Amino acid sequence: MDENVKKKVMLSGIQPSGDLTLGSYLGAIKNWTELADQYDCYYFMADLHAITVRQNPADLRRRTLAQMAQYIAAGLDPEKNVLFIQSHVPAHAQLGWVINCYTMFGELSRMTQFKDKSAKNAENINGGLFTYPALMAADILLYQADYVPVGGDQKQHVELARNVAERFNGVYGDVFRIPEPYIPKVGARIMSLTSPENKMSKSDRDPNGCVYLMEKPEDIMRKFKRAVTDSDTENCVRYDPAAKPGVSNLIQIYAAITEKSIPEVENEFVGCGYGVFKPRVGEAVVECLRPVREEAERLLRDKAYLSEVCRTGAERAGYTANRTLRKVYKKVGFVI
Ligand code: TRP
């Protein structure tokens, strides 16, 4: 690519909600590494967003850093991406306030995530939970992002960011770039090991359904040995997601890790029953995750390195963010 052509900007916020899962590792993160070549990528740990629901302070702090370390270990290179912690860049809160004043009560009331979360946290329906999408819009608009990779649950929020940006631009001229949701290239879609009709997720009620990057090898092996296979009688490693969701999911996982095609995997296990197949998938996962986990552990011990990454990331992010913020402050009439 011509070095002089300015790359498009991609931005994503990540809730520091716990350890990374095998599902997100195989499904998304591997893609992100490629994206760094094509886009100017900004990724931040969304701690301002996290406190819209009650957090244990020590846990939040630990998870924020742990997540940073895990993303870096998983291949998100801090030299090629701008990685930072949201609260380290005050412009998020500052633009967040301005955006709040250009976002309508009615718009926020229609957000389905707000309705869901307030039903679940009936004892703590705070203002932040309600105005969360305005802060998210500020996150995006600060960096003049072209693309925001989001899952289905966040699409409505990106839509809101577009509407607010257009409204603001309509009054003050071209201040914000209008962002678009970016539908990530479908990596492997990994399903729960215990209920393979659902996506692998940390919110799975059965802890055996989800495998984490930081898990001990013996725990990973146990989960794979117990993985649900299908109630057909053929005991045969054959890919058929409709009839055999459990086995097909294991085939997908094995294929994604070994970079083999599905027929190649089927061939490799011709004549093997599930009792042979399941531990083999487990071993492949253990070996794939081992170096990532070890690197994350090493980074977490290296406090000086991690804080330096966070500091440089925040500095680079702050530079871009403050340019937008100053422009906005000027437009709305603040004395600067
Ligand atoms: N709301 C997002 C989530 O819950 C996290 C997030 C915060 C985000 N700010 C963002 C995502 C900006 C994309 C862009 O997952």
Side-chain angles (χ1 to χ4, degrees), residues 11-15 44 46 49 132 136 139-140 148 150 154:
L11 169 133
S12 187
I14 302 151
Q15 290 256 15
F44 62 91
H49 286 267
Y132 172 122
M136 178 161 161
D139 298 338
I140 298 169
V148 184
V150 281
Q154 298 296 322

Side-chain angles (χ1 to χ4, degrees), residues 47-65:
D47 55 353
L48 297 181
H49 286 267
I51 62 163
T52 55
V53 296
R54 276 300 162 261
Q55 300 285 337
N56 171 309
D59 281 350
L60 177 61
R61 193 165 7 252
R62 186 184 50 73
R63 279 202 312 267
T64 303
L65 286 173

Side-chain angles (χ1 to χ4, degrees), residues 37 55 68 161 172 237 250 303 327:
D37 293 331
Q55 300 285 337
M68 190 76 145
Y172 301 104
V237 180
L250 297 175
K303 294 266 177 314
K327 215 184 211 177

Side-chain angles (χ1 to χ4, degrees), residues 200-252:
M200 180 179 282
S201 145
K202 25 192 169 195
S203 48
D204 199 329
R205 254 169 296 141
D206 182 347
N208 290 318
C210 182
V211 171
Y212 296 93
L213 221 64
M214 300 306 278
E215 259 180 307
K216 293 207 269 315
E218 56 270 30
D219 293 336
I220 299 180
M221 284 306 290
R222 184 179 40 80
K223 290 184 180 179
F224 275 94
K225 285 184 188 156
R226 289 196 192 157
V228 167
T229 39
D230 307 295
S231 52
D232 57 21
T233 46
E234 65 176 7
N235 193 21
C236 156
V237 180
R238 187 168 60 78
Y239 186 75
D240 181 349
K244 294 162 72 79
V247 172
S248 302
N249 183 38
L250 297 175
I251 295 178
Q252 272 264 9

